[in-house]
Amino acid sequence: MDNKIIWHALEYKRKEKTADWYWAVGIISVCIAGIAIFLHDTLFAVFIILAVITLIMFSRREPKVMEVELNDRGLKVDKEHYHYISLESFWVDNTDEKEPKIILRSKKTISPLIVIPIEEYNHEDVRNFLLEKLSEKEMHEPLSQKVMEKLGF
């Protein structure tokens, strides 16, 4: 029988955005698009407007509940599989006791760090399970992810 740990986690922590947030995004994007038009760069202005529309649509979306499974072959997050052979190391970041996270270093260059919240499971059990499969190396969340969380994503 397979040795496995399964839990559910939100894709991202949802933060309610106020009308002020939408106004700020709108004003900033209109200013940037206006400057681009003033500098005769209409393609960049169109790009800014499309990016802001996408940003607003994404900000209104509810986070998905992901099923996370650690088993003898690797890690499964919904339909995405990460085999242990494609991972270098892991770290269980429990600096915030309420929201511990697994940080995995992948051998892939496009997405080298994978951060997964451990919401429903004891982080020590997850750590002990991963110690049997991967080396433990201290890592921290990428700055870009922290910035996105501060901005409400």
Side-chain angles (χ1 to χ4, degrees), residues 44-68:
F44 185 62
V46 169
F47 171 75
I48 291 297
I49 292 167
L50 289 175
V52 168
I53 290 170
T54 304
L55 176 73
I56 289 172
M57 287 173 46
F58 183 74
S59 72
R60 300 179 61 96
R61 186 175 70 90
E62 290 291 325
K64 275 186 351 183
V65 175
M66 306 178 304
E67 181 178 273
V68 181

Side-chain angles (χ1 to χ4, degrees), residues 63-75:
K64 275 186 351 183
V65 175
M66 306 178 304
E67 181 178 273
V68 181
E69 178 182 324
L70 282 173
N71 58 40
D72 290 332
R73 290 169 298 203
L75 169 74

Side-chain angles (χ1 to χ4, degrees), residues 8 18 21-22 24 27-28 30 37 43 48 53 58 61 66 79 91-92 96 120 122 129 132:
H8 294 87
T18 64
W21 186 89
Y22 289 103
I27 290 169
I28 291 169
V30 166
I37 290 170
L43 183 61
I48 291 297
I53 290 170
F58 183 74
R61 186 175 70 90
M66 306 178 304
K79 295 176 182 163
W91 180 252
V92 176
D96 182 359
E120 301 174 353
N122 182 344
F129 187 92
E132 296 174 9

Side-chain angles (χ1 to χ4, degrees), residues 9 15 18 45-46 61 72 84 87 106 118 138 152:
K15 291 185 180 177
T18 64
V46 169
R61 186 175 70 90
D72 290 332
Y84 291 122
L87 300 172
S106 173
I118 310 170
E138 186 171 352

